Amino acid sequence: MSVTQDILKPRFSQHIDIHCPDDRAYWAGHFGVSGDELRDAVKMVGSRVTTVAAHLGRQAA
């Protein structure tokens, strides 16, 4: 079982709520980055999952 399956699914499927600890943990685990790296990516490119995924060079879902 992967780390992302152990954490509750995010509230929104298309946007990352960087202020919600559960969402931040889910997406950081999904993308294989730290919470700080995820926060920096969202600051740079916005909260849309596909945009953050592209910025990080990862698959969106």
Side-chain angles (χ1 to χ4, degrees), residues 4 23-36 38:
T4 57
D23 283 9
R24 191 170 52 247
Y26 173 86
W27 289 112
H30 177 79
F31 292 132
V33 298
S34 71
D36 288 338
L38 181 66

Side-chain angles (χ1 to χ4, degrees), residues 20 26 49-51:
C20 174
Y26 173 86
V49 171
T50 54
T51 306

Side-chain angles (χ1 to χ4, degrees), residues 7-52:
I7 299 172
L8 295 176
K9 293 283 184 179
R11 294 182 300 156
F12 307 107
S13 63
Q14 296 180 357
H15 290 276
I16 299 168
D17 181 357
I18 201 69
H19 302 290
C20 174
D22 290 337
D23 283 9
R24 191 170 52 247
Y26 173 86
W27 289 112
H30 177 79
F31 292 132
V33 298
S34 71
D36 288 338
E37 290 172 306
L38 181 66
R39 184 178 296 117
D40 291 344
V42 169
K43 282 182 184 179
M44 290 189 71
V45 301
S47 65
R48 183 173 295 278
V49 171
T50 54
T51 306
V52 173

